[in-house]
Amino acid sequence: MNIDEKEINNFDSFAHEWWNKRGPYKLIHNLTPLRLKYIQQHLDIKNSNILDIGCGGGILAEELTDKGAKVTGLDASKKTIQIAKSHAKEKNYSINYLNSSLEDHIKKTKYEYDAIVCFELIEHIPDQLKLIKDLSSICKKGGKVFLNNENSSGGLITKIFTLEHESATQMMSAIRALVPATNPITVNASSNSLVVTDTAVNMNRIAKLIGSLDGPRLGFNENYKAQNIPITDLAALVNRVTNEDKGSTNLKNSEHLNVFFVPIPRTNSMLIRGYEKTRVQFALKMAKMFDVPTTNPSNVHVVYLKNAEAIPLANTLKNLFESKKNTGKTNILSGSNNNKDLTNASKNLNPSELLPQTKSSFKDSNNSVNSVIFNGAVIQAEPNINAILVVASEPIFHQIKEVINMLDIRRAQVYIESLIVEISAEKAAEFGVQFQFLDGLSDASKQFFGGTNFSTGGGNLLSLLANPSTANAGLNVGVINGTINVPGVGEVANLGVLIRALESEGNANIIATPTLLTLDNEEAKITIGQNVPFVTGQFTSSATGNNPFQTVERKDVGTSLTIKPLITQGGTVKLKIFQEVSRVLDSELSTTFGTVSTTKRSIESTVLVEDEQFVVLGGLIQDQDSIGESKVPILGDIPVMGNLFKYENKVRRKTNLFVFLRPVVIRSEEDAKVLTMDRYKYLKGFENKTENESPFLPNFERPIVPSIINDDNTE
C-alpha cells in the first residue's frame, strides 16, 4: 500500500493536538479559511459529494460540511479518525469518517466524487505518481481535485521529524535559526520528535541539517562554559564567524564543514559539534576570544526596558535578592570567583554616591526608589528613561540582565464585553362597582344614606364627590343626579353610581453592554450613570432651627463593571468580577434632596472562561402574581349579582435578568487594530442612521465621528 507506516505512527502521537488552535497544527487552522475560499471560487460546494483524503482531525471537512457539502473523510491514522469523529459528534456534524487507505477505499466504494481535497498529504506518500492516478480513478468526469504541491517554494508544509540519537529540545535550538519566527516548531517529548512548519524548499534544508545532527557521525565535540557573556549571545556570535563568513575560503556551500552549536542556558555553556576537528577547534578558539571581561572600568550598565516599568521591576529585584539574603541560601548573584574583587571594592561605597537617587511622581509607597546592594551588585531604577541601572561585574550583570529579560516581556491585553439583559412584563386589570344613596341627607325628615365604597382602584366614590373629573385612568362610568348639600361638608356632586374598569400592560427591554480593555492581571473599572447625593446626617445649631446642617455622601448609581483578568498558561482567562446595576426609583425622582432610594443588582464572582467564549455570570427569573378583592359580606358572594357589591384587581409581573461576559485576549498589535476598527465601524454605522429626513424641520449640522486613517491611507 502507498503508505509510510513511520509517518502514520508520528501522526498518531500528535492526534490529541488537532483541535488545539495554538498547538502544532495552528498553521492548518489559519490556512483553512483561505483554502475554503479558493475551493468556493472553483466549485459549487453546496450538495457536492467531496472526499477529503488525509482529513486529519476534520478541520477542513467540518468547514465543507458547514457550507452544505456531503463529506467523506479518509485517514490512515486510527487515532486521528477517532479524534475527528468525536469532534464532529460534539458539533453535531454528519461526516462519514473512515480509517482506511486510499487503495482499500477504491476497492470498496462504488461512488465517484464531485471533488477531492488532498492537503498536507503528498509529501508523506512514497509513490506520489500512483496517488495522482488513484485520485483520478474515483473522481467524476469533469470533477475537481484540490491538492498542494510540496515543490512550491511559496507554499507552507508541516513535517514531523522523529529523532533517534539527539534530544528533540536541543535539536529545536539548533534549527530555530533556519525557521522564520512566524512559523511554529513544536517539541513532542514523549516521542522525541519535532513538528516543523515551513516552505518546502527550506524544509529540505532543515531535513538535511537534522539528518546530519541526528547520528553518530559528528564525532568531534567540545564543551565550553562562558564566563563573561550569555551563552545564547556567544553561540550566535561564534556561529556567524564560523559558518556564515566563509566567502573568502570558498566554503559557503560546503555544509559538511559547518559547525553546530547547542546552547545550554541553565549552565551558561554550549556543545560544539562538527565533522572536522579543525573546524570545531576553530569555533572553540573564537568562543574563548569573544568571552572576555568588559573594558568598562566602572562596571556601570544601563538596561533599557521595553515593556515593564522601571520602579516596580527594581522593587521586584530588590525583594528577590533580599529574600535570598535573609534565608541564607545561595543567591543567583553568588557562585562566581569574579564576585570577590567587586565585593571588596564596593564595601565602602554608598549607593547614593554610585547612582543618583530618582524620585517618582507617584505617591504610592510601593513605588519608592531604593538602591539594592547585594554581593557587590547595585541595582537602581531610573523612571525618567524607564531603565534599570546596574553596577556589577560582567558575569553578575549578565545574570541580572537574564532575569530582567524574563520579566520585561510584552503583556497581553484582555478586552471584556459585558452584556446585561433585562426583560420585564407587567399586566394589571381592575373592575368594580360602587354606589351611594345620599338624597336623604338634604331632607331633615329623611336622615338616611348608604352604599358601597372601596378604597382599591386609586379612587373611591366619596373622594370623587368633590370633583368627579379626578377619576383615575381607565373606564369610569358614573351617574350624577345634580348636587347635594352634605352636612359638615358642603355642596358636592350627587354621584350615585360608579363603574370602573382598567387593563394595563407594560413591557421593558433593557440591554447594557459595558466594555473594558485592560492589561493581563491588572484591575480595571468602568462606571456609567449618575453621582447621587444621600443625606447621612442632620444637625440644627440653634433652638429655633435657623441654622440647619446636613452631611451628604455621594454615590455612583448606574452600571459599573470592575474586573481583573488573568490569562492562564493554556489560554483560558480567569476573571475576578464585580458587576453592579443600580438605579433611582422612579417614584422618588422628584423627592427632597438626598432622600432618594435605589434598587441594586450586583454579582461578585471568579470564573474561568475560554478566549472569545460567552459565559453567563448569573441571573434572575421572577414571576409574581397578586390578586386583590374587596366586597360586601354575604352580598358579594351572590352569583352574578354579587359583582355589584365587590371590587377586584389582578397584577402579574415577570422579570428576566441575565448577565453575560465575553473576554477576548489581545496578544499583538494586529489583534488590537482589528478589534478597534470593528468597534469603530459599528459606531460609524449608527452615525448614518441619525440623519433627519423630516420635511417640516430644518436640517442642522449633525455631529460626526472623526475618520480614522489606516496605514494604507484608507479610512
Side-chain angles (χ1 to χ4, degrees):
M1 288 193 296
N2 198 12
I3 293 176
D4 188 341
E5 292 294 337
K6 186 177 180 180
E7 293 282 354
I8 299 301
N9 293 333
N10 287 334
F11 279 102
D12 279 344
S13 62
F14 285 91
H16 62 286
E17 294 283 357
W18 268 105
W19 287 99
N20 180 9
K21 295 182 179 181
R22 295 184 174 89
Y25 299 111
K26 175 182 177 181
L27 184 64
I28 296 178
H29 283 276
N30 295 336
L31 289 176
T32 296
L34 300 176
R35 289 171 173 171
L36 182 65
K37 185 177 180 180
Y38 180 80
I39 295 173
Q40 287 179 305
Q41 294 173 351
H42 297 83
L43 177 70
D44 184 10
I45 297 179
K46 192 174 182 180
N47 298 323
S48 294
N49 196 4
I50 301 177
L51 175 64
D52 185 2
I53 303 176
C55 63
I59 299 174
L60 180 59
E62 290 190 4
E63 292 291 338
L64 292 170
T65 303
D66 194 52
K67 298 298 180 182
K70 181 181 179 183
V71 182
T72 299
L74 199 69
D75 203 289
S77 171
K78 184 177 180 181
K79 291 184 179 180
T80 299
I81 285 294
Q82 290 174 348
I83 294 294
K85 288 182 178 180
S86 177
H87 195 270
K89 183 178 180 181
E90 181 182 340
K91 299 296 182 180
N92 199 26
Y93 284 114
S94 179
I95 303 175
N96 182 27
Y97 284 117
L98 301 174
N99 176 219
S100 171
S101 64
L102 179 59
E103 293 91 341
D104 290 341
H105 183 63
I106 294 174
K107 295 176 183 177
K108 296 178 181 179
T109 187
K110 299 179 181 179
Y111 299 107
E112 290 184 335
Y113 295 94
D114 299 314
I116 299 175
V117 294
C118 185
F119 296 121
E120 270 74 50
L121 178 69
I122 195 170
E123 65 268 22
H124 304 291
I125 297 297
D127 192 345
Q128 299 174 0
L129 182 59
K130 185 177 183 302
L131 172 66
I132 301 299
K133 292 180 179 179
D134 290 339
L135 294 179
S136 63
S137 68
I138 57 171
C139 189
K140 285 183 179 179
K141 187 177 180 180
K144 302 267 190 328
V145 177
F146 303 89
L147 52 84
N148 58 329
N149 182 7
E150 71 165 337
N151 295 319
S152 172
S153 61
L156 296 175
I157 61 174
T158 301
K159 195 173 183 64
I160 301 175
F161 298 95
T162 301
L163 307 182
E164 297 181 0
H165 300 90
E166 296 293 335
S167 166
T169 304
Q170 293 183 348
M171 186 65 71
M172 183 178 71
S173 303
I175 68 172
R176 180 71 267 185
L178 298 178
V179 181
T182 55
N183 296 342
I185 302 177
T186 305
V187 175
N188 187 351
S190 60
S191 61
N192 195 37
S193 55
L194 291 173
V195 181
V196 184
T197 299
D198 208 334
T199 62
V201 173
N202 199 41
M203 192 70 75
N204 293 331
R205 295 174 55 199
I206 296 171
K208 291 180 181 179
L209 176 60
I210 293 177
S212 61
L213 292 175
D214 187 34
R217 294 175 294 174
L218 294 177
F220 301 101
N221 306 315
E222 292 286 351
N223 187 66
Y224 180 75
K225 184 175 182 179
Q227 301 296 324
N228 302 285
I229 188 172
I231 196 60
T232 52
D233 296 344
L234 182 61
L237 184 61
V238 178
N239 180 60
R240 285 183 59 186
V241 175
T242 308
N243 295 324
E244 297 181 13
D245 300 338
K246 302 185 292 186
S248 60
T249 59
N250 297 322
L251 298 175
K252 264 188 175 181
N253 298 321
S254 303
E255 293 187 4
H256 67 282
L257 295 177
N258 282 345
V259 180
F260 305 98
F261 304 89
V262 183
I264 308 173
R266 185 176 62 84
T267 59
N268 204 41
S269 61
M270 65 178 175
L271 178 65
I272 307 174
R273 305 186 67 186
Y275 293 98
E276 294 190 357
K277 186 176 181 180
T278 56
R279 300 287 297 170
V280 174
Q281 290 179 343
F282 174 77
L284 180 62
K285 182 180 179 180
M286 291 294 100
K288 293 179 179 179
M289 183 180 71
F290 292 133
D291 185 26
V292 294
T294 181
T295 57
N296 182 10
S298 64
N299 285 323
V300 178
H301 308 271
V302 181
V303 182
Y304 295 96
L305 303 178
K306 299 178 180 178
N307 301 284
E309 296 182 27
I311 295 177
L313 182 57
N315 287 327
T316 299
L317 296 173
K318 173 187 175 184
N319 296 333
L320 173 65
F321 299 151
E322 287 184 347
S323 64
K324 292 287 186 179
K325 181 179 179 180
N326 295 334
T327 56
K329 296 181 180 180
T330 303
N331 192 270
I332 63 170
L333 302 182
S334 63
S336 174
N337 294 329
N338 296 333
N339 295 357
K340 296 180 180 179
D341 297 336
L342 183 59
T343 302
N344 295 330
S346 62
K347 282 182 177 179
N348 299 321
L349 294 180
N350 190 330
S352 61
E353 298 176 356
L354 289 170
L355 298 172
Q357 293 291 316
T358 306
K359 295 183 179 180
S360 172
S361 59
F362 298 96
K363 297 183 179 181
D364 188 354
S365 60
N366 295 327
N367 287 337
S368 60
V369 184
N370 296 320
S371 297
V372 183
I373 300 181
F374 194 74
N375 279 9
V378 182
I379 304 172
Q380 182 174 310
E382 177 50 58
N384 294 327
I385 58 175
N386 198 38
I388 299 293
L389 307 181
V390 182
V391 180
S393 63
E394 282 293 326
I396 295 180
F397 167 69
H398 287 299
Q399 294 180 48
I400 296 175
K401 187 180 179 183
E402 186 175 349
V403 177
I404 293 176
N405 291 338
M406 288 188 291
L407 297 175
D408 185 28
I409 59 175
R410 178 187 175 108
R411 294 166 65 183
Q413 300 180 94
V414 182
Y415 178 78
I416 302 104
E417 294 179 320
S418 179
L419 179 62
I420 306 167
V421 181
E422 181 176 356
I423 301 173
S424 60
E426 180 175 340
K427 293 183 179 180
E430 299 178 19
F431 183 82
V433 178
Q434 304 178 69
F435 57 89
Q436 296 285 342
F437 298 102
L438 302 177
D439 291 337
L441 294 179
S442 61
D443 190 349
S445 63
K446 300 178 181 178
Q447 298 292 325
F448 172 81
F449 77 94
T452 60
N453 180 36
F454 304 109
S455 60
T456 58
N460 56 53
L461 194 61
L462 293 180
S463 65
L464 298 177
L465 294 178
N467 187 5
S469 63
T470 61
N472 285 355
L475 176 64
N476 295 275
V477 179
V479 178
I480 300 177
N481 185 20
T483 61
I484 190 170
N485 189 18
V486 179
V489 177
E491 188 176 359
V492 298
N494 186 11
L495 180 60
V497 180
L498 176 66
I499 302 174
R500 174 176 166 78
L502 173 66
E503 185 172 335
S504 62
E505 182 175 344
N507 297 288
N509 187 3
I510 303 173
I511 299 177
T513 57
T515 58
L516 275 174
L517 178 64
T518 183
L519 285 173
D520 178 31
N521 204 29
E522 290 287 344
E523 184 178 293
K525 180 179 181 181
I526 184 173
T527 300
I528 305 170
Q530 301 172 290
N531 192 252
V532 181
F534 294 85
V535 176
T536 59
Q538 294 182 340
F539 177 74
T540 302
S541 59
S542 68
T544 59
N546 294 327
N547 298 309
F549 177 81
Q550 288 184 331
T551 58
V552 178
E553 180 183 1
R554 289 187 171 272
K555 295 183 179 181
D556 293 330
V557 177
T559 301
S560 67
L561 173 64
T562 304
I563 199 159
K564 184 177 182 180
L566 176 64
I567 305 172
T568 64
Q569 190 69 27
T572 303
V573 184
K574 180 181 179 181
L575 299 172
K576 292 184 177 180
I577 309 153
F578 178 77
Q579 182 144 33
E580 180 180 285
V581 180
S582 58
R583 66 180 180 89
V584 178
L585 292 176
D586 295 339
S587 59
E588 302 194 13
L589 288 177
S590 61
T591 56
T592 310
F593 170 81
T595 61
V596 297
S597 299
T598 62
T599 62
K600 183 175 73 173
R601 299 182 178 98
S602 64
I603 295 177
E604 187 173 2
S605 181
T606 302
V607 297
L608 288 174
V609 193
E610 297 295 329
D611 184 17
E612 299 187 20
Q613 298 296 317
F614 269 102
V615 65
V616 59
L617 296 184
L620 169 68
I621 300 178
Q622 188 176 30
D623 197 345
Q624 180 180 357
D625 284 332
S626 62
I627 299 176
E629 184 182 72
S630 299
K631 64 181 179 180
V632 178
I634 302 176
L635 296 178
D637 297 327
I638 300 174
V640 183
M641 292 295 296
N643 292 317
L644 299 175
F645 301 93
K646 63 182 178 183
Y647 202 103
E648 296 177 308
N649 63 80
K650 180 184 294 185
V651 180
R652 183 172 186 179
R653 298 182 180 90
K654 297 187 68 174
T655 302
N656 297 316
L657 172 66
F658 284 96
V659 179
F660 300 86
L661 210 65
R662 177 177 178 262
V664 179
V665 179
I666 301 176
R667 302 184 182 275
S668 64
E669 180 183 355
E670 185 63 27
D671 293 342
K673 185 178 180 181
V674 170
L675 181 63
T676 301
M677 292 305 301
D678 177 72
R679 297 292 87 189
Y680 172 79
K681 291 178 180 178
Y682 177 80
L683 184 62
K684 197 76 171 175
F686 276 97
E687 175 188 278
N688 300 326
K689 298 179 181 180
T690 60
E691 187 73 35
N692 176 32
E693 297 181 354
S694 175
F696 305 104
L697 299 175
N699 290 323
F700 300 109
E701 184 178 354
R702 60 191 178 95
I704 60 174
V705 181
S707 300
I708 297 178
I709 306 301
N710 298 320
D711 297 335
D712 56 356
N713 293 325
T714 60
E715 183 178 345

